[in-house]
Amino acid sequence: MQTLRYQIRGATLADEPGLLELAGFLDSVNLPNKSDEIAPILTWSEKSFAQVIPDPADHRYTFILEDTNAGRAVATSMVLGQLGRRDAPYIYLDVREEERYSASLDQHLVHKVLQIRYSYRGPTEIGGLVSHPDYRRSTQRIGSMIAYVRFLWIAMHRDRFQDEVLAELMPPLSPDGTSHLWEALGRHFTGMSYREADRLSSQNKEFIRGLFPDGDIYASLLSERAQEVIGKVGPETRGVEKLLRRIGFRYVHRIDPFDGGPHFVAPTDEISLVAGARPFYAKFGKAGSQMALVGCSYDRSPWFRAVPASIELPDPGTLTEPALSLPHEVMDHLELTEGDPVWALTMDTR
């Protein structure tokens, strides 16, 4: 079987060393840089792809983009079926403005007010996006491929996901990775460092509900540095923000209670990359002029594969049969025969 250089697939336990290396460039709750926490993530992902976990809301999918020439994982991303369950609510801080005016002083003030909220039936979440630094300037659009594949997967299995999708972006942090908001707020209510609280929250969120105040928190009482990061996007995730806005996401005035990072949300069916993914039947043909991710599901590990391919999308207005012509190397790599189901998402979809 002829292979292509890059492929995206469902992550397996064999990817632990590669995923751990990538985690070293991010180290978030979804992708911790700890060996003993990577294996459970991969196990959960395999069970999700295999649908061993009965409730799709509990599914957590991890994707690996592999350089098959080098035999290494060069990027990863994730999709979480649903944020918010009885044992682990979706927790965020609402951000709103409150106006105050004194006639006797002729003084008008606008306060930024935070209030903690909990949801037990939250949105689908996309996250865990990281590319190896050696590949970030690649002309092969590594970052776009690993970001887009999550929306291709959602479109392929729409019934497993919620009607909204959320992306939480990283805010500006201090040079040592500390959160300015947490130091000014969360530490006072929990007595824990940002890293300690962030780690614990991945397993146990009860302490937040037990220790955080339920009422309004006026941001003007916090340090200036803490106020400055509320809802702001950090320099390393501005490219992600640009992509999200382009495909239909908007900041919804919610932030992460740990670091103040903004929450971007979009109706699932209105995300251009979800709406732009289309099902076809595969057939042998020539390469076209449009770059796309072409993917399909399997009933065995790794459960899913996608590859970049040059295709020509059929005109939907003249279709009698939704057949997609694919070069032999794509058909061979994806182990397709003519008539097999396949999905495609063009890389220039808006």
Side-chain angles (χ1 to χ4, degrees):
M1 180 181 72
Q2 185 176 0
T3 60
L4 303 175
R5 177 172 181 182
Y6 294 109
Q7 72 164 348
I8 303 174
R9 55 176 173 75
T12 70
L13 274 171
D15 293 307
E16 183 175 346
L19 194 62
L20 184 61
E21 180 184 10
L22 291 171
F25 304 115
L26 181 67
D27 192 19
S28 69
V29 172
N30 286 343
L31 191 62
N33 184 22
K34 295 186 70 175
S35 179
D36 61 343
E37 295 181 27
I38 290 293
I41 288 173
L42 292 170
T43 298
W44 200 332
S45 179
E46 283 202 82
K47 289 181 177 180
S48 298
F49 278 113
Q51 297 193 72
V52 174
I53 300 171
D55 187 352
D58 293 332
H59 289 184
R60 297 185 180 184
Y61 304 96
T62 301
F63 301 93
I64 288 289
L65 195 158
E66 182 180 22
D67 181 342
T68 60
N69 287 357
R72 67 187 300 197
V74 300
T76 185
S77 63
M78 297 179 179
V79 176
L80 281 65
Q82 178 182 308
L83 285 180
R85 304 182 304 276
R86 290 184 180 181
D87 61 326
Y90 162 40
I91 303 174
Y92 57 92
L93 288 171
D94 255 339
V95 183
R96 73 176 196 275
E97 288 188 346
E98 181 180 289
E99 295 188 62
R100 294 287 180 140
Y101 175 70
S102 168
S104 60
L105 297 178
D106 191 25
Q107 178 81 323
H108 174 256
L109 296 173
V110 179
H111 293 282
K112 188 171 288 185
V113 183
L114 311 177
Q115 186 172 20
I116 198 157
R117 299 290 189 184
Y118 306 88
S119 172
Y120 296 88
R121 296 184 63 183
T124 289
E125 182 184 18
I126 56 172
L129 180 66
V130 60
S131 300
H132 195 289
D134 293 347
Y135 288 78
R136 287 176 186 170
R137 297 185 181 276
S138 168
T139 59
Q140 301 299 314
R141 301 181 65 184
I142 297 299
S144 294
M145 284 194 285
I146 197 62
Y148 278 36
V149 74
R150 300 171 297 182
F151 302 104
L152 174 62
W153 181 254
I154 289 172
M156 290 173 65
H157 303 282
R158 177 64 184 86
D159 60 331
R160 301 184 193 178
F161 300 99
Q162 305 305 305
D163 291 334
E164 283 190 331
V165 178
L166 173 142
E168 178 188 321
L169 299 189
M170 193 70 73
L173 299 174
S174 64
D176 65 355
T178 298
S179 161
H180 299 301
L181 181 67
W182 184 263
E183 290 301 307
L185 184 63
R187 182 185 282 273
H188 294 290
F189 292 117
T190 67
M192 302 173 68
S193 71
Y194 168 60
R195 290 296 180 188
E196 290 171 335
D198 205 30
R199 289 281 188 226
L200 179 59
S201 71
S202 66
Q203 305 294 328
N204 172 20
K205 292 180 169 58
E206 184 280 331
F207 75 98
I208 302 174
R209 182 144 213 169
L211 298 176
F212 262 69
D214 292 325
D216 292 344
I217 300 170
Y218 285 80
S220 55
L221 298 176
L222 306 178
S223 68
E224 287 188 14
R225 288 197 304 175
Q227 293 180 55
E228 289 170 355
V229 302
I230 293 173
K232 295 297 187 295
V233 177
E236 294 185 357
T237 49
R238 285 174 188 155
V240 177
E241 178 192 14
K242 183 178 179 180
L243 167 66
L244 292 174
R245 289 187 181 278
R246 178 164 58 82
I247 65 176
F249 283 77
R250 294 294 180 266
Y251 172 51
V252 290
H253 300 282
R254 298 180 212 156
I255 63 172
D256 181 82
F258 296 94
D259 56 35
H263 287 189
F264 280 69
V265 172
T268 306
D269 296 325
E270 295 179 18
I271 299 170
S272 64
L273 297 182
V274 174
R278 293 169 54 190
F280 298 96
Y281 293 102
K283 72 174 184 179
F284 288 102
K286 296 180 180 179
S289 61
Q290 295 174 290
M291 182 56 63
L293 278 181
V294 178
C296 52
S297 295
Y298 303 88
D299 59 3
R300 64 190 186 283
S301 182
W303 314 107
F304 168 79
R305 283 198 192 99
V307 295
S310 297
I311 65 170
E312 203 68 53
L313 286 178
D315 182 355
T318 60
L319 282 179
T320 57
E321 185 179 25
L324 180 65
S325 296
L326 296 171
H328 278 72
E329 61 266 25
V330 174
M331 295 281 284
D332 290 346
H333 190 97
L334 295 178
E335 302 178 60
L336 295 171
T337 58
E338 287 201 331
D340 285 344
V342 67
W343 281 71
L345 171 62
T346 57
M347 296 291 286
D348 60 352
T349 299
R350 297 294 185 264

